[in-house]
Structure formats: C-alpha cells, structure tokens
Amino acid sequence: MRPVGRLRCFICAEGVFLALVYALFNVLGHSMLLYIACIILQVLIITGVYFCIMRPLKTFEDMLDFFLEEERTEEELDSARETCPYVGEVKALVDRYSSRKTRRNSAEIFDKQTELTALQSQINPHFLYNTLESIRGQALMDDNREIAGMVEALSSFFRYSISRKGKLVTLREELANINNYMLIQCYRFNNRFSLEVLIDEEDEEAYDFLIPKLIIQPVVENAIYHGLEEKLEGGRVTIEVIVTEKNLILTISDNGSGIDGEALDKLNRRIHSPSMRVEEESGQKQRNTGIALPNIHKRIQLLFGEEYGVNVYSTVGQGTDVEITIPADYS
C-alpha cells in the first residue's frame, strides 16, 4: 500500500482509537491501567505512521537528492523502484516530457533540413513574382484573359509554396493553393483532370482547422503524375474531409492506374520507415513533388505524435487513396 493509502488507514485507526478511549473511560472510569494501555496504543500508532509513511517519504526525498547530484544510469533508477514509493510514476512522467521535448526538437531540426533542401532549388522569389506579374499585365493588355488567369494562379501557387509563413496553415488556405495548382494542370493537360472536395455540412468547421503546410498538394501532384497522366480523359482527384471526435482525416483519391500489391507494400514501408532523413526524389519516375509522402508522414508524426501520419491504399486499375490523419482543431 502506498503512503497516501497508509495515511488514510492511520487516520481511520486514530479516529476509532479516540472513540474507543472515550467509550472505555465512560464505562470503566479513570484508571491507571487504562491510561497505560491508551499510551501504548498511541505510541504504536505514531510508530506505524513513522515507519509506514514518514520513513518511505524520507527515502523518496533521499533518492531524489541522490539522482539530482549527478547523472545516474537507468538501471539504478529501476532498482530504486522496489524500495521507494512513486519512483515508477516519476520515471513515467519524466519519460513523457522528455519524449515530447525530443519530438519538438526533432520537428524543428526536420523543418530546417527540409527548408535547406528546398532552398537548393529555389530561385529569387521576388524575381519570380515580378516576372509573372509582368507576363500577366501583358496578357491583360492583349485581352488574353485565359493566360492572365493561369499566370495569376501560378503566381499565387509559388507565393504560397515559397513563402516563409508558419508551418501551420488553415485547411481553407491549403485547399485554395490546390485549386490554383489544379487550374494550372488543367491548362497544361487540356482539362483532362478535375478536382472535387467532399465535406459534410456539419464538418465545415474543418476549413478553419490548422494543418501542416503543403501536406495535400504533393499528394495531388503524385496522383496526377503517377496515376492520371496516362488517362486521356475523365481523370478525377477527390479530396474527402472527415472530422471525428479527435481526428481530422483527409483522403486524397484518384481514379488512375493504381499500384500493384508489391509496390504498395514497398511504398508504405518507406513511408513508415523510422529514419528521420529528408528524402530526395530523383529519376524520371520520381518527379520532384516538393515534399515526398515519407517526408509528409515524418513531419506529421514529429508535430503531433506517432498515432498520426499517412497511409496509402490502392487497387490496380481502379485508383489510389492516400489517407492523412492529424488532430482535429489543433491549436
């Protein structure tokens, strides 16, 4: 029994003892033998309080001083559990906060690593914005509304992607960026693709939920390049938004070629690999999508914990679903 439980027992025992003494004095009257018996019982109770409560707490205090003096091994801490109260709880509390701090620090390091990787391929953003605005202005002067609209979408897309705005944005902002991206792709591929966002009315509050920046657009880009590029017409990308009691689930689906079982298993293993290294895509089949699926998964886990992340489901000839799970209404 722990010290707190023992203290309750001794309080109850003391109450019973006092009531018994009162009753005995009323029945038997005052006698030297009764006085001696009461004193002996009181001494026993006080001794029990010392050995069962005060002594374990003093041992706990000494143990804390022992471990605060210098760095000790985990084996020494484990060995103290058997003799010291609350050591297990203290260790669990320290481990929890240590894990949270480590995860936060790892997230910051990962973001810096991702930023450095992105900077390798960036051009001066102001030069890019000014050039695009010049092209758009010329298109408007030539009354070419279609080109002006596409250049405006491209400018907004790059501004959103390259900007140093915080790592969390609203779902509404992320979807607006995807709309700009799809407008550009529809122009490039002669309207072979379409985008649909599915969200129930009772879940529309999710538009204001905070999510990590650039976790949906790379998935949409993958869907086009790896699933829909060979589709001559009727290519469709669907983003379904579901809000549960604790989670926000984003499912990005396409009706493309799908992924065979072996390749799908390999992809999911790569996504869930414990490595914290930022992956760099290269080669003809792995086009540069900004941030690969494994990196999205790692960013989410570093920000929110291991219970969140990315999973991919696919059927050959029917399409692919990429499910992203993050906390709902994160602040």
Side-chain angles (χ1 to χ4, degrees):
M1 189 183 296
R2 294 180 180 180
V4 174
R6 294 170 187 166
L7 181 60
R8 292 195 188 101
C9 291
F10 282 115
I11 291 173
C12 293
E14 183 70 14
V16 172
F17 169 72
L18 292 175
L20 182 61
V21 169
Y22 178 77
L24 288 173
F25 273 111
N26 284 337
V27 174
L28 302 177
H30 297 270
S31 67
M32 184 61 66
L33 184 62
L34 188 57
Y35 278 123
I36 293 173
C38 291
I39 291 172
I40 292 173
L41 286 174
Q42 189 65 60
V43 169
L44 289 174
I45 291 175
I46 294 174
T47 304
V49 169
Y50 173 76
F51 281 100
C52 295
I53 298 175
M54 300 303 297
R55 189 174 180 180
L57 291 179
K58 182 65 170 63
T59 304
F60 180 63
E61 182 182 4
D62 293 340
M63 184 274 298
L64 288 179
D65 292 337
F66 174 76
F67 281 98
L68 288 173
E69 284 176 2
E70 58 182 272
E71 188 175 344
R72 305 289 179 179
T73 65
E74 192 167 348
E75 288 75 15
E76 289 178 300
L77 185 59
D78 289 334
S79 65
R81 272 193 215 190
E82 302 173 0
T83 57
C84 233
Y86 302 118
V87 173
E89 288 80 356
V90 170
K91 183 176 185 299
L93 184 64
V94 171
D95 288 344
R96 179 189 300 175
Y97 281 96
S98 176
S99 175
R100 183 180 299 177
K101 186 174 181 179
T102 300
R103 194 169 66 234
R104 187 178 297 129
N105 290 341
S106 297
E108 293 176 359
I109 294 171
F110 189 86
D111 284 340
K112 290 296 182 183
Q113 190 179 2
T114 304
E115 183 179 334
L116 288 172
T117 302
L119 283 172
Q120 293 176 356
S121 59
Q122 276 188 18
I123 61 174
N124 187 308
H126 296 292
F127 172 78
L128 174 65
Y129 302 150
N130 293 337
T131 303
L132 290 173
E133 283 301 312
S134 298
I135 296 172
R136 178 173 175 270
Q138 186 62 51
L140 288 173
M141 290 176 60
D142 295 340
D143 201 26
N144 194 326
R145 302 289 174 178
E146 187 175 17
I147 291 180
M150 187 182 68
V151 171
E152 184 178 16
L154 182 62
S155 178
S156 298
F157 172 76
F158 278 124
R159 191 179 298 273
Y160 178 88
S161 302
I162 299 175
S163 71
R164 295 182 178 271
K165 188 177 180 180
K167 56 189 173 185
L168 294 177
V169 297
T170 64
L171 177 61
R172 179 180 284 105
E173 290 174 311
E174 185 79 355
L175 291 176
N177 183 58
I178 292 167
N179 282 328
N180 285 326
Y181 174 76
M182 286 301 294
L183 181 65
I184 297 165
Q185 295 292 37
C186 286
Y187 185 88
R188 286 188 60 202
F189 292 98
N190 196 26
N191 293 316
R192 283 159 48 188
F193 314 130
S194 64
L195 173 68
E196 183 179 16
V197 178
L198 303 177
I199 182 169
D200 293 336
E201 288 185 8
E202 60 266 25
D203 291 339
E204 288 186 353
E205 60 177 345
Y207 283 126
D208 296 316
F209 287 179
L210 292 177
I211 67 172
K213 181 180 176 182
L214 289 173
I215 63 167
I216 302 179
Q217 183 272 327
V219 182
V220 174
E221 188 166 346
N222 274 339
I224 291 176
Y225 284 124
H226 301 302
L228 302 177
E229 192 172 33
E230 297 179 1
K231 214 172 179 65
L232 298 180
E233 60 181 359
R236 185 176 66 255
V237 176
T238 304
I239 302 175
E240 184 178 15
V241 181
I242 298 176
V243 180
T244 66
E245 184 178 354
K246 295 182 179 180
N247 295 333
L248 172 64
I249 302 174
L250 307 170
T251 304
I252 299 93
S253 307
D254 66 70
N255 62 341
S257 55
I259 307 172
D260 65 71
E262 184 179 349
L264 181 63
D265 289 341
K266 183 178 179 181
L267 175 60
N268 276 311
R269 283 197 303 271
R270 190 160 62 92
I271 289 172
H272 296 98
S273 167
S275 170
M276 286 292 109
R277 182 178 61 86
V278 175
E279 298 199 10
E280 298 181 11
E281 294 182 314
S282 60
Q284 293 182 350
K285 292 190 70 176
Q286 292 188 344
R287 298 172 188 247
N288 181 13
T289 59
I291 303 173
L293 291 179
N295 294 339
I296 296 173
H297 178 76
K298 292 176 179 65
R299 286 178 64 212
I300 291 173
Q301 289 203 326
L302 288 170
L303 285 170
F304 306 123
E306 293 184 357
E307 63 267 39
Y308 303 102
V310 177
N311 287 289
V312 182
Y313 311 93
S314 187
T315 303
V316 175
Q318 296 186 21
T320 301
D321 299 331
V322 178
E323 183 181 88
I324 299 173
T325 304
I326 58 177
D329 201 14
Y330 181 80
S331 59

